[in-house]
C-alpha cells in the first residue's frame, strides 16, 4: 500500500487524473480496475467509482510497488494513457463526440449491478457540466464514437436527425467466417452492401435477445447491412477464416449487430454471449485470452440535407479506426 496527499495544483481534478499524475507509470486502465475492486481509499473511505478530489485529501492505493511503477507485466501490465476511458473527437456549443474505449459502461441500466465508473459521470466531472446527456448508447464491450449533448437543444437535434436517417452510424467488427447472406442494396453513402432482415425478441430479465426469421408475438423488426472489408487467416484449429465487416444499422435495437450476425452463423470474435468461447480462446489479445467483442462504432455521417440547430454539420463525417485487441497475423483481400 502507498498513499499521498493531493496538492493544491490537483485540486478539483478527477481521482483518476490525480493518481495517474502522481504515478506516471500507472495507466488509467489499472486505476479503473482498482476502483472496481475497491482497492483505493479516499480519506479512509473505499471507492468503486471516479470522483473529484480536493487539496489535502489522502489517497491510499492497495497495489504492489511494481504495479504502481509499471514494472509488472502480463495481465497486470498498465495500459498506455491512450487507453483512458474516452478521448474527445469533436466539440461545439451543442454537442460532444467522444471515442469510448472497450469495457467502459456508458450509463447504468435499470436493475443492473454497479459497473462503474460510468462514462457519462466521468465526462460530466471532467467538463464540470452536470447537464450533459447521452444522445444514444453503446454497449459496455463496444468501443467507438458516442454523441453527447451539452445543451437540451443539442439532444433534441441529434435525436431528430437519427430518427429521420440524417445522422447515420457505421460500425466495423471482426467475425468468424466470411458471410455472404443477404440481399444486395445500396447503403446510405451509396456503397454496395448486403441487407439482412429479421425479427428481434428481447428478454429484459436476462439482458438477452433472440433473432427470428419469422415474426413472433412481441418481436421487433430489424434491418442490418454489411460488407466484407477483408479476410484474415485464422489460427484456430479448424482454420476457418475471419472477416472484417463494415456494418450499417437501419434499425438500432439492443445487441442487434452481435445477435444478428451470430444468427447467420458469423458471431463477433471475442463475444462469449452470442458466440463461442471454445473458439475465442484460440485468440490472444493484449492482456491474454480474448474476452471482449471486437466491435467499434467507427463513423458518424451527417447528411448533406441536415436541418435545424445542427445544420452547420451538414455533410460532415467523423471517423476513427477500430482498436482491435486481435489484429490478425495477415490479410487477404476478398475476391
Amino acid at each position: 500500500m502507498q498513499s499521498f496527499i493531493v496538492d493544491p495544483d490537483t485540486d478539483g481534478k478527477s481521482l483518476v487524473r490525480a493518481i495517474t499524475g502522481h504515478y506516471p507509470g500507472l495507466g488509467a486502465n489499472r486505476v479503473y480496475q482498482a476502483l472496481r475492486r475497491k482497492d483505493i481509499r479516499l480519506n479512509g473511505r473505499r471507492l468503486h467509482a471516479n470522483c473529484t478530489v480536493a487539496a489535502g485529501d489522502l489517497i491510499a492505493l492497495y497495489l504492489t510497488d511494481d504495479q504502481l511503477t509499471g514494472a509488472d507485466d502480463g495481465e497486470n501490465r498498465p495500459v498506455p494513457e491512450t487507453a483512458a476511458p474516452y478521448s474527445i473527437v469533436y466539440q461545439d456549443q451543442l454537442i460532444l463526440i467522444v471515442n469510448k474505449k472497450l469495457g467502459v459502461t456508458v450509463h447504468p441500466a435499470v436493475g443492473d449491478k454497479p459497473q462503474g465508473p460510468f462514462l457519462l459521470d466521468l465526462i460530466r466531472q471532467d467538463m464540470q457540466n452536470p447537464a450533459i446527456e447521452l444522445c444514444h448508447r453503446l454497449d459496455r464491450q463496444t468501443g467507438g464514437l458516442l454523441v453527447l449533448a451539452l445543451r437540451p437543444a443539442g439532444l433534441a437535434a441529434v435525436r431528430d436527425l437519427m430518427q429521420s436517417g440524417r445522422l447515420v452510424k457505421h460500425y466495423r467488427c471482426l467475425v468468424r467466417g466470411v458471410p455472404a447472406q443477404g440481399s444486395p442494396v445500396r447503403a446510405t453513402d451509396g456503397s454496395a452492401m448486403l441487407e439482412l432482415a429479421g425479427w428481434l425478441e428481447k428478454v429484459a430479465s436476462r439482458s438477452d435477445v433472440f433473432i427470428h426469421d419469422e415474426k413472433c408475438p412481441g418481436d421487433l423488426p430489424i434491418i442490418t447491412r454489411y460488407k466484407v472489408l477483408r479476410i484474415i487467416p485464422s489460427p484456430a484449429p479448424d482454420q476457418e477464416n475471419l472477416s472484417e465487416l463494415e456494418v450499417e444499422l437501419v434499425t438500432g435495437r439492443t445487441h442487434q449487430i452481435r445477435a444478428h450476425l451470430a444468427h447467420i452463423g458469423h458471431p463477433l470474435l471475442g463475444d462469449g454471449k452470442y458466440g463461442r468461447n471454445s473458439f475465442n480462446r484460440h485468440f490472444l489479445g493484449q492482456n491474454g485470452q480474448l474476452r471482449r467483442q471486437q466491435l467499434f462504432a467507427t463513423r458518424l455521417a451527417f447528411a448533406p440535407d441536415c436541418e435545424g440547430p445542427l445544420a452547420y454539420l451538414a455533410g460532415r463525417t467523423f471517423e476513427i479506426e477500430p482498436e482491435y485487441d486481435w489484429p490478425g497475423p495477415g490479410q487477404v483481400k476478398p475476391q
Side-chain angles (χ1 to χ4, degrees):
M1 188 274 288
Q2 289 194 25
S3 63
F4 68 96
I5 301 292
V6 176
D7 59 46
D9 292 339
T10 310
D11 185 86
K13 292 187 177 181
S14 71
L15 174 66
V16 173
R17 289 190 176 184
I19 293 173
T20 55
H22 192 82
Y23 298 101
L26 183 64
N29 192 59
R30 165 64 66 189
V31 179
Y32 285 110
Q33 291 174 358
L35 279 169
R36 287 194 289 271
R37 293 194 303 267
K38 296 187 178 181
D39 286 341
I40 296 176
R41 291 187 181 184
L42 178 63
N43 298 324
R45 181 169 56 92
R46 289 187 181 274
L47 302 176
H48 63 79
N50 198 9
C51 64
T52 301
V53 300
D57 282 346
L58 174 64
I59 300 175
L61 298 94
Y62 290 81
L63 299 174
T64 67
D65 290 345
D66 283 347
Q67 290 170 345
L68 291 170
T69 61
D72 64 338
D73 55 12
E75 183 178 350
N76 294 325
R77 182 175 58 244
V79 178
E81 201 59 34
T82 55
Y86 73 95
S87 59
I88 295 177
V89 175
Y90 173 80
Q91 179 181 350
D92 60 31
Q93 295 300 311
L94 291 179
I95 66 168
L96 174 71
I97 301 176
V98 302
N99 179 9
K100 181 186 88 71
K101 301 302 180 181
L102 287 175
V104 179
T105 304
V106 171
H107 189 274
V110 177
D112 276 2
K113 296 180 181 179
Q115 300 182 68
F118 300 110
L119 183 66
L120 179 58
D121 295 333
L122 296 176
I123 293 175
R124 284 172 171 172
Q125 291 171 9
D126 289 345
M127 302 196 70
Q128 298 184 345
N129 181 357
I132 294 175
E133 294 290 348
L134 295 166
C135 295
H136 61 101
R137 286 179 167 80
L138 289 178
D139 289 344
R140 174 182 173 85
Q141 299 299 354
T142 301
L145 297 175
L146 181 71
V147 187
L148 301 99
L150 302 179
R151 297 181 180 180
L155 179 63
V158 170
R159 290 184 173 175
D160 285 346
L161 291 176
M162 287 183 170
Q163 291 173 1
S164 65
R166 291 186 173 92
L167 177 53
V168 180
K169 295 181 290 183
H170 278 232
Y171 296 74
R172 283 165 62 182
C173 58
L174 299 179
V175 303
R176 181 176 183 175
V178 184
Q181 299 95 317
S183 304
V185 295
R186 289 288 171 183
T188 305
D189 62 3
S191 63
M193 283 190 161
L194 294 173
E195 183 173 284
L196 303 170
W199 300 89
L200 182 144
E201 173 192 359
K202 183 176 180 180
V203 183
S205 61
R206 297 190 303 175
S207 298
D208 286 340
V209 304
F210 298 92
I211 308 300
H212 304 141
D213 293 322
E214 302 293 334
K215 189 179 188 305
C216 297
D219 282 3
L220 297 172
I222 57 171
I223 298 177
T224 307
R225 295 171 177 168
Y226 75 92
K227 63 181 176 183
V228 177
L229 298 178
R230 58 177 175 141
I231 298 172
I232 308 170
S234 167
D238 61 9
Q239 297 184 331
E240 184 175 8
N241 289 331
L242 305 176
S243 302
E244 183 181 18
L245 307 183
E246 181 179 343
V247 179
E248 177 181 290
L249 286 180
V250 180
T251 58
R253 312 293 188 193
T254 300
H255 297 178
Q256 179 176 325
I257 294 176
R258 301 167 62 187
H260 212 172
L261 292 174
H263 177 70
I264 64 169
H266 300 282
L268 297 180
L269 182 64
D271 187 355
K273 179 184 284 285
Y274 300 104
R276 293 289 182 271
N277 282 324
S278 58
F279 182 77
N280 294 330
R281 71 168 57 102
H282 297 290
F283 300 83
L284 296 179
Q286 296 176 359
N287 294 303
Q289 183 177 326
L290 196 63
R291 298 181 184 275
R292 293 176 174 174
Q293 63 191 31
Q294 301 302 287
L295 173 65
F296 292 84
T298 53
R299 192 196 318 169
L300 286 168
F302 290 81
D305 59 347
C306 280
E307 300 175 346
L310 295 176
Y312 57 87
L313 291 175
R316 290 284 303 273
T317 297
F318 300 93
E319 192 164 6
I320 61 165
E321 285 296 314
E323 299 177 8
Y324 296 127
D325 288 335
W326 191 85
Q331 304 177 18
V332 178
K333 291 284 186 180
Q335 300 298 317

